[in-house]
Amino acid sequence: ATHARTRATGFRLDEGRLVAVETEAGAIPCDRAVVAAGARSGALTASFGDRLPLESERGYHVMIADAEAGPRTPVMASDAKMVVNAMAGGLRAAGQVEFAGLDAAPNWKRAEILRDHLTSMFPDLPETVPAERIRMWLGHRPSMPDGRPCIGRARRTADVVYAFGHGHVGLVGSARTGRLVAQLVGGEAPEIPLAPFDPRRFL
Ligand SMILES: Cc1cc2nc3c(=O)[nH]c(=O)nc-3n(C[C@H](O)[C@H](O)[C@H](O)COP(=O)(O)OP(=O)(O)OC[C@H]3O[C@@H](n4cnc5c(N)ncnc54)[C@H](O)[C@@H]3O)c2cc1C
């Protein structure tokens, strides 16, 4: 297998059959493709005329290195709407939902809210954590309006399979989705009914 580190920009079809994926590094000949580009999948599906209501639910995390305190097991702090984990790299709190699209600059105030929840949750943390011990991150949850992912074929060709839109649970859902995609690409019957995940429910 070849791992091409480049951006896919579109597809080349010949009489309804896939012949190549177009990328910034040139065309890659192939007869099957999977669109699994997370919140950025929409531009690729739109090249088939499949305009799907995929939106990024932007989320943030904050990491405190060498934390003086933390939970022994992962904790869902429901009043702060965040998940707290003691990790090898530090104490992490992840949460927040922001609708600002794919390209807006991060609003780090949202990560600061998570940091402040952490310091009130764990009084042994310093009230003001030194900036050099803090790292912040913005990520995109690829979300559909009904909360279900899109797993199914493109309308214009059965050779392209969609697998995105897992929202808040894409890590949890990844292995099962991978198996379903392998079944679709391999021409096998999927092991569960895929109608609830069919992208055509929005088309
Ligand atoms: C703060 C936060 C906390 C979360 N917590 C959890 C959790 O606890 N459990 C859980 O299950 N999920 C969680 N999620 C959600 C999870 O991260 C996502 O659902 C998951 O990452 C989606 O996986 P994906 O592979 O579809 O997309 P991504 O992980 O976004 O991967 C898409 C990949 O496609 C690449 N790509 C994009 N465009 C192109 C292109 N044109 N050509 C080639 N490559 C392209 C990107 O570079 C990226 O590598 C969380 C998300 C956030 C933001």
Side-chain angles (χ1 to χ4, degrees):
T2 306
H3 182 198
R5 292 184 69 91
T6 183
R7 198 170 72 88
T9 53
F11 303 91
R12 203 173 291 167
L13 299 184
D14 183 13
E15 296 184 356
R17 301 309 307 261
L18 181 68
V19 292
V21 173
E22 287 164 353
T23 79
E24 288 179 344
I28 300 176
C30 60
D31 56 11
R32 299 285 189 281
V34 179
V35 176
R40 296 190 185 272
S41 300
L44 292 168
T45 68
S47 70
F48 291 121
D50 292 342
R51 294 182 194 284
L52 292 160
L54 174 66
E55 188 54 71
S56 168
E57 284 186 73
R58 294 153 56 112
Y60 291 81
H61 81 218
V62 63
M63 291 277 284
I64 299 179
D66 305 318
E68 291 81 353
R72 274 176 294 166
T73 59
V75 169
M76 174 76 207
S78 54
D79 47 350
K81 294 190 168 49
M82 65 182 196
V83 177
V84 182
N85 274 295
M87 306 178 76
L91 179 62
R92 174 184 291 182
Q96 295 283 316
V97 169
E98 176 186 50
F99 290 97
L102 290 168
D103 300 321
N107 176 2
W108 295 125
K109 283 189 187 144
R110 287 184 168 272
E112 287 164 9
I113 291 170
L114 298 172
R115 178 203 60 199
D116 293 347
H117 280 312
L118 270 184
T119 51
S120 66
M121 192 172 168
F122 297 102
D124 286 346
L125 291 174
E127 211 167 296
T128 307
V129 181
E132 63 274 14
R133 285 175 52 198
I134 293 187
R135 277 192 297 134
M136 295 174 175
W137 173 81
L138 159 72
H140 295 280
R141 302 181 189 91
S143 298
M144 304 303 294
D146 59 2
R148 279 182 267 133
C150 287
I151 305 172
R153 299 184 193 280
R155 278 188 304 176
R156 275 186 55 202
T157 175
D159 297 337
V160 175
V161 171
Y162 297 162
F164 54 79
H166 294 68
H168 292 234
V169 291
L171 306 181
V172 172
S174 57
R176 191 70 187 269
T177 300
R179 196 157 66 196
L180 291 165
V181 165
Q183 288 160 354
L184 289 175
V185 170
E188 295 170 32
E191 64 193 13
I192 58 168
L194 286 183
F197 310 110
D198 191 334
R200 288 166 216 232
R201 69 193 189 276
F202 292 110
L203 297 171

